[in-house]
Coordinates of all heavy atoms in Angstrom, one line a residue:
M1 N 72.2 17.7 -32.0 CA 70.8 18.1 -32.1 C 70.4 18.7 -30.8 O 70.7 18.2 -29.7 CB 70.0 16.8 -32.4 CG 68.5 17.0 -32.5 SD 67.6 15.6 -32.9 CE 67.7 15.6 -34.7
K2 N 69.6 19.8 -30.9 CA 69.1 20.5 -29.7 C 67.7 20.1 -29.5 O 66.9 20.2 -30.4 CB 69.3 22.0 -30.0 CG 69.2 22.8 -28.7 CD 69.5 24.3 -29.0 CE 69.9 25.0 -27.7 NZ 70.4 26.3 -28.0
L3 N 67.4 19.7 -28.3 CA 66.1 19.3 -27.9 C 65.5 20.3 -26.9 O 66.2 20.8 -26.0 CB 66.1 17.9 -27.2 CG 66.6 16.8 -28.1 CD1 66.8 15.5 -27.2 CD2 65.8 16.5 -29.3
L4 N 64.2 20.5 -27.0 CA 63.5 21.4 -26.0 C 62.7 20.5 -25.1 O 62.0 19.6 -25.6 CB 62.5 22.3 -26.8 CG 61.5 23.1 -26.0 CD1 62.2 24.1 -25.1 CD2 60.6 23.8 -26.9
V5 N 62.9 20.7 -23.8 CA 62.2 19.9 -22.8 C 61.2 20.8 -22.1 O 61.7 21.8 -21.5 CB 63.2 19.2 -21.8 CG1 62.4 18.3 -20.9 CG2 64.3 18.5 -22.6
R6 N 59.9 20.5 -22.1 CA 58.9 21.4 -21.6 C 58.2 20.7 -20.4 O 58.2 19.5 -20.3 CB 57.9 21.9 -22.6 CG 58.6 22.6 -23.8 CD 57.6 23.3 -24.7 NE 56.7 24.1 -24.0 CZ 56.9 25.4 -23.8 NH1 57.9 26.0 -24.2 NH2 56.0 26.2 -23.2
N7 N 57.4 21.5 -19.7 CA 56.6 21.0 -18.6 C 57.4 20.4 -17.5 O 56.9 19.4 -16.8 CB 55.5 20.0 -19.1 CG 54.3 20.0 -18.1 OD1 53.9 20.9 -17.6 ND2 53.8 18.8 -18.0
L8 N 58.5 21.0 -17.2 CA 59.3 20.5 -16.1 C 58.8 21.1 -14.8 O 58.3 22.2 -14.7 CB 60.8 21.0 -16.3 CG 61.5 20.4 -17.4 CD1 62.9 21.2 -17.6 CD2 61.8 19.0 -17.2
S9 N 59.0 20.3 -13.7 CA 58.7 20.8 -12.4 C 59.7 22.0 -12.1 O 60.8 22.0 -12.5 CB 58.9 19.7 -11.4 OG 59.0 20.2 -10.1
R10 N 59.2 22.9 -11.3 CA 60.0 24.1 -11.0 C 61.2 23.7 -10.1 O 62.2 24.4 -10.0 CB 59.2 25.1 -10.2 CG 58.0 25.6 -10.9 CD 58.3 26.5 -12.1 NE 57.1 27.0 -12.7 CZ 57.0 27.2 -14.0 NH1 57.9 26.9 -14.8 NH2 55.8 27.7 -14.5
S11 N 61.2 22.5 -9.5 CA 62.3 22.0 -8.7 C 63.3 21.1 -9.4 O 64.3 20.8 -8.9 CB 61.7 21.2 -7.5 OG 61.1 20.1 -8.0
T12 N 63.0 20.8 -10.7 CA 64.0 20.0 -11.5 C 65.3 20.8 -11.7 O 65.3 22.0 -12.0 CB 63.3 19.6 -12.9 OG1 62.1 18.9 -12.6 CG2 64.3 18.8 -13.7
T13 N 66.4 20.1 -11.6 CA 67.7 20.7 -11.8 C 68.3 20.3 -13.1 O 68.0 19.3 -13.7 CB 68.7 20.3 -10.6 OG1 68.9 18.9 -10.7 CG2 68.1 20.6 -9.2
E14 N 69.3 21.1 -13.5 CA 70.1 20.7 -14.7 C 70.8 19.4 -14.5 O 70.8 18.6 -15.5 CB 71.2 21.8 -15.0 CG 70.6 23.0 -15.7 CD 71.7 24.0 -16.1 OE1 72.9 23.7 -16.1 OE2 71.3 25.1 -16.4
Q15 N 71.2 19.1 -13.4 CA 71.9 17.8 -13.1 C 71.0 16.6 -13.3 O 71.3 15.6 -13.9 CB 72.5 17.8 -11.7 CG 73.3 16.6 -11.3 CD 74.5 16.4 -12.2 OE1 75.1 17.4 -12.7 NE2 75.0 15.2 -12.3
E16 N 69.7 16.8 -12.8 CA 68.7 15.7 -13.0 C 68.5 15.5 -14.5 O 68.4 14.3 -15.0 CB 67.4 16.1 -12.3 CG 67.5 16.0 -10.8 CD 66.2 16.5 -10.2 OE1 65.8 17.7 -10.4 OE2 65.6 15.7 -9.4
L17 N 68.3 16.6 -15.3 CA 68.1 16.5 -16.7 C 69.3 15.8 -17.4 O 69.1 14.9 -18.3 CB 67.9 17.8 -17.3 CG 66.5 18.4 -17.1 CD1 66.4 19.8 -17.7 CD2 65.4 17.6 -17.8
R18 N 70.5 16.2 -17.0 CA 71.7 15.7 -17.6 C 71.8 14.2 -17.4 O 72.1 13.4 -18.3 CB 72.9 16.4 -17.1 CG 74.2 16.0 -17.7 CD 75.4 16.8 -17.2 NE 75.4 18.2 -17.6 CZ 75.8 18.6 -18.8 NH1 76.3 17.8 -19.7 NH2 75.8 19.9 -19.1
I19 N 71.5 13.7 -16.2 CA 71.5 12.3 -15.9 C 70.4 11.6 -16.7 O 70.6 10.5 -17.2 CB 71.3 12.1 -14.3 CG1 72.5 12.5 -13.6 CG2 70.9 10.6 -14.0 CD1 72.3 12.7 -12.1
L20 N 69.2 12.1 -16.8 CA 68.1 11.5 -17.5 C 68.4 11.3 -19.0 O 68.3 10.2 -19.5 CB 66.9 12.4 -17.4 CG 65.6 11.9 -18.0 CD1 65.1 10.7 -17.3 CD2 64.5 13.0 -18.0
F21 N 69.0 12.4 -19.6 CA 69.3 12.3 -21.0 C 70.6 11.5 -21.3 O 70.7 10.9 -22.3 CB 69.4 13.7 -21.6 CG 68.0 14.2 -22.0 CD1 67.2 14.8 -21.0 CD2 67.5 14.1 -23.2 CE1 66.0 15.3 -21.3 CE2 66.2 14.6 -23.5 CZ 65.5 15.2 -22.6
S22 N 71.5 11.5 -20.3 CA 72.8 10.7 -20.5 C 72.5 9.2 -20.6 O 73.4 8.5 -21.2 CB 73.7 11.0 -19.3 OG 74.2 12.3 -19.4
A23 N 71.4 8.8 -20.1 CA 71.1 7.4 -20.2 C 70.9 7.0 -21.7 O 70.9 5.8 -22.0 CB 69.8 7.1 -19.4
H24 N 70.7 7.9 -22.5 CA 70.4 7.7 -24.0 C 71.6 8.1 -24.9 O 71.5 7.9 -26.1 CB 69.1 8.4 -24.4 CG 67.9 7.9 -23.6 ND1 67.3 6.7 -23.8 CD2 67.3 8.5 -22.5 CE1 66.3 6.6 -22.9 NE2 66.3 7.7 -22.1
G25 N 72.6 8.7 -24.3 CA 73.8 9.1 -25.1 C 74.5 10.2 -24.5 O 74.2 10.6 -23.4
T26 N 75.4 10.8 -25.3 CA 76.2 11.9 -24.8 C 75.5 13.2 -24.8 O 74.8 13.6 -25.8 CB 77.4 12.1 -25.8 OG1 78.1 10.8 -25.8 CG2 78.4 13.1 -25.3
V27 N 75.6 13.9 -23.7 CA 74.9 15.2 -23.5 C 76.1 16.3 -23.6 O 76.9 16.3 -22.7 CB 74.1 15.4 -22.2 CG1 73.6 16.8 -22.0 CG2 73.0 14.4 -22.2
A28 N 76.0 17.1 -24.6 CA 77.1 18.2 -24.8 C 76.8 19.4 -23.9 O 77.6 19.9 -23.3 CB 77.2 18.6 -26.2
E29 N 75.5 19.7 -23.8 CA 75.1 20.9 -23.0 C 73.6 20.7 -22.5 O 72.8 20.1 -23.2 CB 75.1 22.1 -23.9 CG 75.0 23.4 -23.1 CD 75.2 24.6 -24.0 OE1 75.9 24.6 -25.0 OE2 74.6 25.7 -23.6
C30 N 73.4 21.2 -21.3 CA 72.1 21.2 -20.7 C 71.9 22.5 -20.1 O 72.6 22.9 -19.2 CB 72.0 20.1 -19.7 SG 70.5 20.0 -18.8
S31 N 70.8 23.2 -20.5 CA 70.6 24.6 -19.9 C 69.1 24.7 -19.5 O 68.3 24.7 -20.4 CB 71.1 25.7 -20.8 OG 70.5 25.5 -22.1
L32 N 68.9 24.8 -18.2 CA 67.6 25.1 -17.7 C 67.3 26.6 -17.7 O 68.2 27.4 -17.4 CB 67.6 24.6 -16.2 CG 66.3 24.5 -15.4 CD1 65.4 23.5 -16.1 CD2 66.6 24.1 -14.0
V33 N 66.2 27.0 -18.3 CA 65.9 28.4 -18.4 C 65.3 28.9 -17.1 O 64.4 28.4 -16.6 CB 64.9 28.6 -19.6 CG1 64.5 30.1 -19.7 CG2 65.5 28.0 -20.9
L34 N 66.0 30.0 -16.6 CA 65.6 30.6 -15.3 C 65.0 31.9 -15.5 O 65.4 32.7 -16.4 CB 66.9 30.7 -14.4 CG 67.7 29.4 -14.2 CD1 68.9 29.7 -13.3 CD2 66.8 28.4 -13.5
D35 N 64.1 32.3 -14.5 CA 63.5 33.6 -14.5 C 64.6 34.5 -13.9 O 65.2 34.3 -12.9 CB 62.3 33.6 -13.5 CG 61.6 34.9 -13.5 OD1 62.2 35.8 -12.8 OD2 60.6 35.1 -14.0
Q36 N 64.9 35.6 -14.6 CA 66.0 36.5 -14.2 C 65.7 37.2 -12.8 O 66.6 37.4 -12.1 CB 66.2 37.6 -15.3 CG 66.8 37.1 -16.5 CD 67.1 38.2 -17.5 OE1 66.4 39.2 -17.5 NE2 68.0 38.0 -18.4
A37 N 64.5 37.5 -12.6 CA 64.1 38.2 -11.3 C 64.2 37.2 -10.1 O 64.7 37.6 -9.0 CB 62.7 38.8 -11.4
T38 N 63.8 36.0 -10.2 CA 63.7 35.1 -9.1 C 64.8 34.0 -9.1 O 65.0 33.3 -8.1 CB 62.3 34.4 -9.0 OG1 62.2 33.6 -10.2 CG2 61.2 35.4 -8.9
A39 N 65.4 33.8 -10.2 CA 66.4 32.8 -10.4 C 65.8 31.4 -10.3 O 66.5 30.4 -10.0 CB 67.6 33.0 -9.5
K40 N 64.5 31.3 -10.4 CA 63.9 30.0 -10.4 C 63.5 29.5 -11.8 O 63.4 30.3 -12.7 CB 62.6 30.1 -9.6 CG 62.8 30.3 -8.1 CD 61.6 30.2 -7.3 CE 62.0 30.5 -5.8 NZ 60.9 30.4 -4.9
S41 N 63.4 28.2 -11.9 CA 63.1 27.6 -13.2 C 61.8 28.1 -13.8 O 60.8 28.3 -13.1 CB 63.0 26.1 -13.0 OG 62.5 25.5 -14.2
K42 N 61.8 28.3 -15.1 CA 60.6 28.7 -15.9 C 59.9 27.4 -16.3 O 58.8 27.5 -17.0 CB 61.0 29.5 -17.1 CG 61.3 31.0 -16.7 CD 61.4 31.8 -18.0 CE 61.5 33.3 -17.6 NZ 61.4 34.1 -18.9
G43 N 60.4 26.2 -16.1 CA 59.7 25.0 -16.4 C 60.1 24.4 -17.8 O 59.4 23.5 -18.3
F44 N 61.2 24.9 -18.4 CA 61.7 24.3 -19.6 C 63.2 24.4 -19.7 O 63.8 25.2 -19.0 CB 61.0 24.9 -20.8 CG 61.3 26.3 -21.2 CD1 62.2 26.6 -22.2 CD2 60.6 27.3 -20.6 CE1 62.5 27.9 -22.5 CE2 60.9 28.7 -20.9 CZ 61.8 28.9 -21.9
A45 N 63.7 23.6 -20.6 CA 65.2 23.5 -20.7 C 65.6 23.1 -22.1 O 64.7 22.6 -22.9 CB 65.8 22.5 -19.7
F46 N 66.8 23.3 -22.5 CA 67.4 22.8 -23.7 C 68.5 21.8 -23.4 O 69.3 22.1 -22.5 CB 68.0 24.0 -24.5 CG 66.9 25.0 -25.0 CD1 66.7 26.1 -24.3 CD2 66.2 24.7 -26.2 CE1 65.7 27.0 -24.7 CE2 65.2 25.6 -26.6 CZ 65.0 26.8 -25.9
V47 N 68.4 20.7 -24.2 CA 69.5 19.7 -24.0 C 70.1 19.5 -25.4 O 69.4 19.3 -26.4 CB 68.9 18.4 -23.5 CG1 69.9 17.3 -23.5 CG2 68.2 18.6 -22.1
E48 N 71.4 19.6 -25.5 CA 72.1 19.4 -26.7 C 72.8 18.1 -26.7 O 73.6 17.8 -25.8 CB 73.1 20.6 -27.0 CG 73.7 20.5 -28.4 CD 73.7 21.9 -29.1 OE1 73.3 22.9 -28.5 OE2 74.2 21.9 -30.2
M49 N 72.5 17.3 -27.7 CA 73.2 16.0 -27.9 C 73.9 16.0 -29.3 O 73.2 16.1 -30.3 CB 72.2 14.9 -27.7 CG 71.5 14.8 -26.4 SD 70.3 13.5 -26.2 CE 71.4 12.1 -25.9
P50 N 75.2 15.8 -29.3 CA 75.9 15.8 -30.6 C 75.6 14.7 -31.6 O 75.6 14.9 -32.8 CB 77.4 15.8 -30.2 CG 77.4 15.2 -28.8 CD 76.1 15.6 -28.2
N51 N 75.2 13.5 -31.1 CA 74.8 12.4 -31.9 C 73.3 12.4 -32.2 O 72.5 12.2 -31.3 CB 75.3 11.1 -31.2 CG 75.0 9.9 -32.1 OD1 74.0 9.7 -32.7 ND2 76.1 9.0 -32.2
E52 N 73.0 12.6 -33.5 CA 71.6 12.7 -33.9 C 70.8 11.5 -33.6 O 69.6 11.5 -33.1 CB 71.5 13.0 -35.4 CG 70.1 13.4 -35.8 CD 70.0 13.8 -37.3 OE1 70.9 14.5 -37.7 OE2 68.9 13.5 -37.9
K53 N 71.4 10.3 -33.8 CA 70.7 9.0 -33.5 C 70.4 8.9 -32.0 O 69.3 8.5 -31.6 CB 71.6 7.9 -33.9 CG 70.9 6.6 -34.1 CD 71.9 5.6 -34.6 CE 71.2 4.3 -35.2 NZ 72.1 3.4 -35.8
E54 N 71.3 9.3 -31.1 CA 71.1 9.2 -29.7 C 70.0 10.3 -29.3 O 69.2 10.0 -28.4 CB 72.4 9.5 -28.9 CG 73.4 8.5 -29.1 CD 74.8 8.8 -28.4 OE1 75.0 10.0 -28.0 OE2 75.6 7.9 -28.4
A55 N 70.1 11.4 -29.9 CA 69.1 12.5 -29.6 C 67.7 12.0 -29.9 O 66.7 12.2 -29.2 CB 69.4 13.8 -30.3
K56 N 67.5 11.4 -31.1 CA 66.2 10.9 -31.5 C 65.7 9.8 -30.6 O 64.5 9.7 -30.4 CB 66.2 10.5 -33.0 CG 66.3 11.7 -33.9 CD 66.3 11.3 -35.4 CE 66.2 12.5 -36.3 NZ 66.3 12.2 -37.7
L57 N 66.6 8.9 -30.2 CA 66.3 7.9 -29.2 C 65.8 8.5 -27.9 O 64.8 8.0 -27.4 CB 67.5 6.9 -29.0 CG 67.3 5.9 -28.0 CD1 66.2 4.9 -28.4 CD2 68.6 5.1 -27.7
A58 N 66.5 9.5 -27.4 CA 66.1 10.1 -26.2 C 64.8 10.8 -26.3 O 63.9 10.7 -25.4 CB 67.2 11.2 -25.8
L59 N 64.5 11.5 -27.5 CA 63.3 12.1 -27.7 C 62.1 11.1 -27.7 O 61.1 11.2 -27.0 CB 63.3 12.8 -29.1 CG 62.1 13.7 -29.5 CD1 62.5 14.8 -30.4 CD2 61.0 12.9 -30.1
A60 N 62.3 10.0 -28.4 CA 61.3 8.9 -28.5 C 61.0 8.3 -27.1 O 59.9 8.0 -26.7 CB 61.7 7.9 -29.5
S61 N 62.1 8.1 -26.4 CA 62.0 7.4 -25.1 C 61.5 8.3 -24.0 O 60.8 7.8 -23.1 CB 63.4 6.9 -24.6 OG 63.9 6.0 -25.6
L62 N 61.8 9.6 -24.0 CA 61.4 10.4 -22.9 C 60.2 11.3 -23.1 O 59.7 11.8 -22.1 CB 62.6 11.3 -22.5 CG 63.9 10.6 -22.1 CD1 65.1 11.5 -21.9 CD2 63.6 9.8 -20.8
H63 N 59.8 11.5 -24.3 CA 58.6 12.3 -24.5 C 57.4 11.7 -23.8 O 57.1 10.5 -23.9 CB 58.3 12.4 -26.0 CG 57.1 13.2 -26.4 ND1 57.1 14.6 -26.1 CD2 55.9 12.9 -26.9 CE1 55.9 15.1 -26.5 NE2 55.2 14.1 -27.0
E64 N 56.7 12.6 -23.0 CA 55.5 12.2 -22.3 C 55.8 11.2 -21.2 O 54.9 10.4 -20.8 CB 54.4 11.8 -23.2 CG 53.9 12.9 -24.0 CD 52.5 12.7 -24.7 OE1 52.1 11.5 -24.9 OE2 51.9 13.7 -25.1
T65 N 57.0 11.2 -20.6 CA 57.3 10.4 -19.4 C 57.2 11.3 -18.2 O 57.2 12.5 -18.3 CB 58.7 9.7 -19.5 OG1 59.7 10.8 -19.6 CG2 58.8 8.8 -20.7
K66 N 57.1 10.7 -17.0 CA 57.0 11.4 -15.8 C 58.4 11.7 -15.2 O 59.2 10.9 -15.1 CB 56.2 10.6 -14.8 CG 54.7 10.6 -15.1 CD 54.0 11.4 -14.1 CE 52.5 11.2 -14.4 NZ 51.7 11.9 -13.4
L67 N 58.5 13.0 -14.8 CA 59.7 13.4 -14.1 C 59.2 14.4 -13.0 O 58.6 15.4 -13.3 CB 60.7 14.1 -15.0 CG 62.0 14.7 -14.4 CD1 62.8 13.6 -13.8 CD2 62.8 15.5 -15.4
S68 N 59.5 14.0 -11.7 CA 59.0 14.8 -10.6 C 57.5 15.1 -10.7 O 57.0 16.2 -10.5 CB 59.8 16.1 -10.5 OG 61.1 15.9 -10.4
N69 N 56.7 14.0 -11.0 CA 55.3 14.1 -11.1 C 54.7 15.0 -12.2 O 53.5 15.3 -12.2 CB 54.7 14.6 -9.7 CG 54.7 13.5 -8.7 OD1 54.7 12.3 -9.0 ND2 54.8 13.8 -7.4
N70 N 55.6 15.4 -13.1 CA 55.1 16.1 -14.3 C 55.4 15.3 -15.5 O 56.4 14.7 -15.7 CB 55.9 17.4 -14.5 CG 55.5 18.5 -13.5 OD1 55.0 18.2 -12.4 ND2 55.7 19.7 -13.8
K71 N 54.4 15.3 -16.5 CA 54.6 14.6 -17.7 C 55.4 15.5 -18.6 O 54.8 16.5 -19.1 CB 53.2 14.2 -18.3 CG 53.4 13.3 -19.5 CD 52.1 13.0 -20.2 CE 51.3 11.9 -19.5 NZ 50.2 11.5 -20.3
I72 N 56.6 15.2 -18.9 CA 57.5 16.1 -19.7 C 57.2 15.9 -21.2 O 56.8 14.9 -21.6 CB 59.0 16.0 -19.4 CG1 59.5 14.6 -19.7 CG2 59.3 16.3 -17.9 CD1 61.0 14.4 -19.7
R73 N 57.5 17.0 -21.9 CA 57.3 16.9 -23.4 C 58.7 17.3 -24.0 O 59.3 18.3 -23.6 CB 56.3 17.9 -23.9 CG 54.9 17.6 -23.4 CD 53.8 18.4 -24.0 NE 54.0 19.9 -24.0 CZ 53.6 20.7 -23.0 NH1 53.1 20.2 -21.9 NH2 53.9 22.0 -23.1
V74 N 59.1 16.4 -24.9 CA 60.4 16.6 -25.5 C 60.2 16.7 -27.0 O 59.5 15.9 -27.6 CB 61.4 15.4 -25.3 CG1 62.7 15.6 -25.9 CG2 61.5 15.1 -23.8
K75 N 60.8 17.8 -27.6 CA 60.8 17.9 -29.1 C 62.0 18.5 -29.6 O 62.8 19.1 -28.8 CB 59.5 18.7 -29.5 CG 59.5 20.2 -29.1 CD 58.3 20.8 -29.6 CE 58.4 22.3 -29.6 NZ 57.3 23.0 -30.2
I76 N 62.2 18.5 -30.9 CA 63.4 19.1 -31.5 C 63.2 20.6 -31.4 O 62.2 21.2 -31.8 CB 63.6 18.7 -33.0 CG1 63.8 17.2 -33.0 CG2 64.7 19.4 -33.6 CD1 63.7 16.5 -34.4
A77 N 64.3 21.3 -30.9 CA 64.2 22.8 -30.8 C 64.3 23.4 -32.2 O 65.1 23.0 -33.0 CB 65.4 23.2 -29.9
Q78 N 63.6 24.5 -32.3 CA 63.6 25.2 -33.6 C 64.7 26.3 -33.6 O 64.9 27.0 -32.7 CB 62.3 25.9 -33.9 CG 61.2 24.9 -34.0 CD 61.3 23.9 -35.2 OE1 61.7 24.3 -36.3 NE2 61.1 22.6 -34.9

């Protein structure tokens, strides 16, 4: 299941996201979306978790929690 993580701090790294989501299950892929011109974060990322149950648990647990002083939003990617 692919999750969209929004409202990330510009300083949040893929490694931080991977660690955060790994607490709820296996993370197959984590990709922070970067601005091509500046190579800085655009403030959102995609996290892919192969186990749907774990992904839904991560979504429920992490939606609207604080990460680097930002309240992140997690939803199923379309």
Side-chain angles (χ1 to χ4, degrees):
M1 178 178 276
K2 196 171 200 176
L3 300 173
L4 171 64
V5 187
R6 300 188 57 91
N7 202 37
L8 294 170
S9 165
R10 304 287 185 216
S11 63
T12 300
T13 65
E14 281 185 13
Q15 185 63 24
E16 288 174 304
L17 283 175
R18 189 175 288 277
I19 290 167
L20 184 68
F21 280 82
S22 291
H24 301 282
T26 304
V27 174
E29 191 175 334
C30 177
S31 53
L32 191 62
V33 179
L34 303 176
D35 182 287
Q36 288 183 336
T38 64
K40 292 189 178 181
S41 169
K42 285 190 168 188
F44 68 99
F46 293 98
V47 176
E48 187 137 1
M49 300 181 77
N51 183 311
E52 188 174 327
K53 196 175 196 177
E54 292 174 351
K56 286 183 176 177
L57 174 65
L59 187 152
S61 301
L62 298 173
H63 181 65
E64 296 195 338
T65 59
K66 287 251 183 174
L67 177 64
S68 301
N69 285 331
N70 284 26
K71 189 185 279 191
I72 63 171
R73 296 188 310 271
V74 182
K75 67 179 199 173
I76 297 170
Q78 297 298 319

